Amino acid sequence: MNNSVTSATYIRNISYSLRRRLSDFLDPQDRWRDVAVSIRKPSGELRYSQHHVRRFEGLVAQGRSPTEELLSDWGTTNSTVGELVDILRSHKLLAAACVLLPVEEASSEDAQPASPALGSESARPTRLLEERAPQPSAGSSTPQPQTLQESREPADTGFSSFLYNELMKITGNFDDRPMSDGGSRLGEGGFGTVYKGLLNDTPVAVKKLNPMDDTSMDELQVQFHQEIQTLKVLKHENLVDMVGFSCDGQHPCLVYAFMANGSLLDRLACLDDSPPLPWRRRCLIAEGTARGLDYLHSNHHVHRDVKSANILLDEKCVAKISDFGLTRASAKRTSTTMMTERIVGTRAYMAPEALRGEVTPKSDVFSFGVVLLEILSGLPPACENREPQFLMEVRYDIDDEDEELTLEDILDKKMGDWELGQVETLYSLACNCLQERKNRRPVARQVVSELEGVVKSISLDSQA
């Protein structure tokens, strides 16, 4: 959303930062193609033929953005932002439309001018991005916010759009006191703070995004829209469930289903005096996470920030991968390895090639190897007062015959009834995931298969 842009703004006058935000949103899954084939000349003919589309496709292999090139070419005409927004909305790319225009402007062709009876922005009702504004009858009072059930979009068209003021209300004005002190704060996310709220008596988690020292507001907006797009396209039992978002206030916000057991990182640390995770539960969490990664990779997505803090646990301790703001999607016809100038991720989990700017599914597998070591040891991924500081390096000491450290020495003594053979299988899998050369690492589907075998052997042991 950019208040300096209106429906009448020429596309050629869209700023570079806005073009970048749109390309980060439309390049994944080739959504730019939907836009290209919908553009028409004043005569009504299609502006771009399949030959043109293939030319844009060829830019991907050169590391260039088809969306940026498309906008540059289309911008040579007197086409406007309003025309682009109409096309985006016709393909249900609602959050992308919100990048350019506020909800009200994006819906301007569908809605009559708001009556003064509607009052200020904060009094307007929550509604879907593509819904037309309600028409108050003469003398009507200010509408009340709709319930979650009324404002939920059908599953195939995206998520609900909430007013920032409504999210403030359900989180106690984003009460920064921890839950244990009567506040709403659940914890700190990668790019914001997460609060608990009650929406129609249903608990939700609201992430309020904040610019960090090394993250501009523009970059934050890109991540905001990337998360929405990813979770709109990809749905799986082991991915976090998004409820909706807000982009009309001081901070962009994302609303998720509430995860009663928090993060795997906190549960392994027994934070807030939570009971230790037993061995079987840890293996089930590992298996669920691997299934989520396999699903992502099968759908041509690389998460780029796999870590125990981004693995959330619901009331039944089912693993849900979260935080998709850094996720990258690759075109299905290109190599699974991409290059980026901006290095992102968490150092204690990053594969060697990720530190060089490579984006590949095998980097996610490497990060998952660190998570497996956390599951086995209960230790944090990094600690300044520990040698080695990075948990990923502990395998060198275990495998070194000159060192006295053994696998059993690092095992979490709190996890209960484990069996050495199963532990050794999990450790061996972790080491394979942590291979320095990515071609030697297993793919996520192979990781799932290995973990299925461990879980099955645990079940057999319990029946014996």
Side-chain angles (χ1 to χ4, degrees):
M1 186 166 65
N2 190 318
N3 293 331
S4 65
V5 174
T6 70
S7 295
T9 300
Y10 288 129
I11 286 176
R12 61 174 172 268
N13 293 332
I14 298 176
S15 68
Y16 173 75
S17 62
L18 273 183
R19 290 183 186 223
R20 282 299 311 156
R21 283 157 61 183
L22 280 171
S23 65
D24 281 330
F25 188 77
L26 296 176
D27 284 350
Q29 289 89 46
D30 296 339
R31 298 313 300 266
W32 60 267
R33 185 201 301 271
D34 296 332
V35 176
V37 299
S38 300
I39 298 172
R40 294 185 177 273
K41 299 177 182 179
S43 64
E45 298 177 73
L46 291 175
R47 176 175 176 83
Y48 298 106
S49 66
Q50 287 303 313
H51 172 74
H52 292 114
V53 171
R54 284 194 293 271
R55 181 167 62 83
F56 287 128
E57 282 178 351
L59 298 172
V60 177
Q62 303 172 30
R64 295 162 65 188
S65 165
T67 299
E68 286 190 48
E69 295 295 328
L70 174 63
L71 293 177
S72 294
D73 187 86
W74 192 22
T76 61
T77 68
N78 287 331
S79 51
T80 65
V81 165
E83 295 173 63
L84 174 55
V85 167
D86 285 344
I87 290 173
L88 292 172
R89 292 180 65 243
S90 73
H91 290 286
K92 312 303 182 188
L93 296 169
L94 307 178
C98 194
V99 171
L100 293 166
L101 296 177
V103 173
E104 289 75 17
E105 289 188 48
S107 304
S108 59
E109 292 195 2
D110 291 340
Q112 298 299 319
S115 163
L118 281 174
S120 65
E121 174 70 27
S122 62
R124 292 174 185 165
T126 300
R127 70 176 187 272
L128 311 184
L129 273 175
E130 67 168 352
E131 222 171 39
R132 63 178 62 199
Q135 303 302 309
S137 58
S140 65
S141 60
T142 301
Q144 296 301 309
Q146 299 173 349
T147 64
L148 175 60
Q149 184 176 3
E150 290 170 334
S151 65
R152 184 186 295 275
E153 293 196 23
D156 60 343
T157 60
F159 304 107
S160 297
S161 173
F162 299 108
L163 294 175
Y164 183 74
N165 284 356
E166 183 178 3
L167 298 185
M168 287 182 64
K169 182 178 179 181
I170 68 170
T171 58
N173 291 324
F174 294 112
D175 192 331
D176 266 314
R177 293 175 299 161
M179 292 285 297
S180 56
D181 292 342
S184 300
R185 183 164 58 85
L186 292 169
E188 300 292 329
F191 299 94
T193 308
V194 184
Y195 302 86
K196 184 178 180 180
L198 273 181
L199 203 52
N200 309 327
D201 298 322
T202 302
V204 293
V206 180
K207 182 193 284 189
K208 183 177 74 171
L209 301 181
N210 297 307
M212 312 291 280
D213 291 340
D214 59 344
T215 307
S216 69
M217 196 62 198
D218 276 355
E219 290 173 317
L220 204 66
Q221 287 282 359
V222 168
Q223 291 166 18
F224 171 72
H225 293 290
Q226 179 62 45
E227 180 116 6
I228 294 170
Q229 175 64 12
T230 302
L231 289 176
K232 175 180 173 181
V233 173
L234 303 180
K235 300 183 184 300
H236 187 269
E237 179 188 11
N238 299 114
L239 304 187
V240 73
D241 301 310
M242 181 178 282
V243 174
F245 59 89
S246 167
C247 57
D248 74 316
Q250 181 181 1
H251 298 272
C253 296
L254 298 163
V255 185
Y256 306 93
F258 178 67
M259 295 289 106
N261 281 300
S263 71
L264 175 60
L265 178 70
D266 289 348
R267 295 294 71 76
L268 289 173
C270 297
L271 207 66
D272 299 324
D273 296 321
S274 59
L277 291 170
W279 170 238
R280 183 175 184 274
R281 176 55 59 192
R282 296 184 192 215
C283 291
L284 287 170
I285 290 170
E287 181 188 8
T289 305
R291 287 186 187 280
L293 282 180
D294 178 41
Y295 175 78
L296 282 176
H297 296 172
S298 297
N299 285 278
H300 310 280
H301 281 69
V302 182
H303 187 280
R304 295 208 294 170
D305 200 18
V306 174
K307 56 185 178 181
S308 56
N310 285 340
I311 299 169
L312 305 182
L313 307 175
D314 69 8
E315 68 280 357
K316 296 180 180 178
C317 276
V318 174
K320 309 269 187 179
I321 300 173
S322 70
D323 208 340
F324 295 88
L326 300 178
T327 301
R328 286 285 294 270
S330 62
K332 298 177 183 178
R333 291 164 298 283
T334 63
S335 168
T336 54
T337 296
M338 298 172 284
M339 296 299 297
T340 178
E341 292 181 2
R342 186 160 185 263
I343 310 302
V344 298
T346 304
R347 176 65 184 88
Y349 294 87
M350 290 179 72
E353 71 276 0
L355 293 168
R356 299 191 296 268
E358 290 186 29
V359 180
T360 165
K362 289 295 187 73
S363 301
D364 283 351
V365 171
F366 184 97
S367 301
F368 183 66
V370 180
V371 173
L372 289 178
L373 290 183
E374 290 180 81
I375 287 172
L376 284 167
S377 67
L379 298 172
C383 179
E384 292 183 1
N385 301 319
R386 185 180 68 202
E387 188 59 42
Q389 291 186 0
F390 288 138
L391 184 60
M392 68 170 76
E393 296 174 358
V394 76
R395 67 192 193 280
Y396 299 133
D397 290 343
I398 292 175
D399 296 341
D400 189 344
E401 294 181 356
D402 294 332
E403 296 287 341
E404 295 182 358
L405 190 68
T406 67
L407 173 57
E408 290 187 58
D409 291 334
I410 71 160
L411 289 185
D412 189 350
K413 305 304 186 291
K414 305 187 299 295
M415 66 183 171
D417 191 18
W418 51 271
E419 194 273 327
L420 184 58
Q422 297 161 358
V423 164
E424 288 175 340
T425 298
L426 210 67
Y427 175 71
S428 177
L429 178 60
C431 291
N432 286 336
C433 291
L434 291 167
Q435 289 282 350
E436 295 287 322
R437 295 175 60 179
K438 64 178 184 289
N439 291 340
R440 293 182 178 178
R441 297 173 209 152
V443 296
R445 186 152 297 175
Q446 292 170 313
V447 175
V448 171
S449 179
E450 288 278 343
L451 290 168
E452 283 177 341
V454 173
V455 170
K456 184 176 180 180
S457 67
I458 295 173
S459 300
L460 292 174
D461 286 348
S462 64
Q463 295 171 8

